[in-house]
Amino acid sequence: MRTALRRRQSHSPAGDPGAAGQRLLATYAELARREDHLLAGLFGDQPVRQWEHYPEDDAVDRTSGFQWFYHSHAPEDRGPAREHGHIHLFARRPLWVHRMRSRAEQAFADLTGRPSARVRTRHLLAMGLDAKGIPISLFTVNSWVTGDLMLSGASTMRLLRSLRLDTGQPHVDAVLESVIRLCDAEIAQLLRDRDEVLARHAPERVLADERLEILSSMPLDLDAKLA
């Protein structure tokens, strides 16, 4: 990413993958010029506390209906990965409630034991970041991890493709939007992998099965992707 940033620093609006790549590069170029970190606006001058939500009450776009938060795990929980922490991205209820009678959601409900919990959010995707604030992975998690529920792959992709964020954290918003547009095909596969894992377990217990935490994951090499 640092190499690519030095090569290309022009800014263009997000839309197609090429424009998304340009926007991603421009975001990090601006941070580099300011000698700033992607997450500086979240942490301020305080030391980062493991498991804390940043921001404390999540970053919420009340117009679009999306929200996210960043947190990090204890070093012993991170394994050999370079991850410093990750962002969880959610859709708030008005974005998806009207879809719940669709064929895709009915089939997904069968796959996951027709959960009856009434939740305000649905988890869409998680993005791992290294200590420099560069995205290094995308992954999905089971519902017990975030305390809400998931959506079908079709609904999740529809929402991710419509993603527009204005949460008061413009650099993080830009990175989330850009990476998701840049990795559209990979995310679609990630969701297919997620559903294959869910399908191998009993529907009535799968969402609460603590042996199943990360359902699917993929590493990100943004330099290669941008090239």
Side-chain angles (χ1 to χ4, degrees), residues 75-158:
E76 59 268 23
D77 293 335
R78 298 178 197 165
R82 297 178 291 125
E83 182 186 285
H84 176 272
H86 48 263
I87 295 171
H88 287 285
L89 177 65
F90 304 84
R92 293 165 71 86
R93 186 176 178 82
L95 273 175
W96 49 262
V97 66
H98 63 287
R99 304 182 190 276
M100 300 316 295
R101 294 186 181 277
S102 70
R103 190 172 298 175
E105 291 310 319
Q106 290 298 304
F108 191 68
D110 289 338
L111 186 68
T112 54
R114 294 199 163 269
S116 58
R118 185 174 176 84
V119 297
R120 292 190 301 171
T121 62
R122 298 280 174 137
H123 187 263
L124 302 177
L125 189 68
M127 179 183 296
L129 304 175
D130 67 14
K132 295 180 180 179
I134 305 296
I136 57 170
S137 67
L138 295 171
F139 58 98
T140 65
V141 296
N142 206 355
S143 290
W144 66 264
V145 177
T146 52
D148 58 353
L149 293 170
M150 294 174 271
L151 291 164
S152 69
S155 293
T156 302
M157 288 304 300
R158 189 176 296 112

Side-chain angles (χ1 to χ4, degrees), residues 42 54-55 57-61 66-69 165 167-169 173:
L42 299 179
Y54 293 93
D57 296 320
D58 292 10
V60 180
D61 185 328
F66 293 98
Q67 74 182 63
W68 56 263
F69 71 82
L165 291 169
T167 68
Q169 297 290 335
D173 288 349

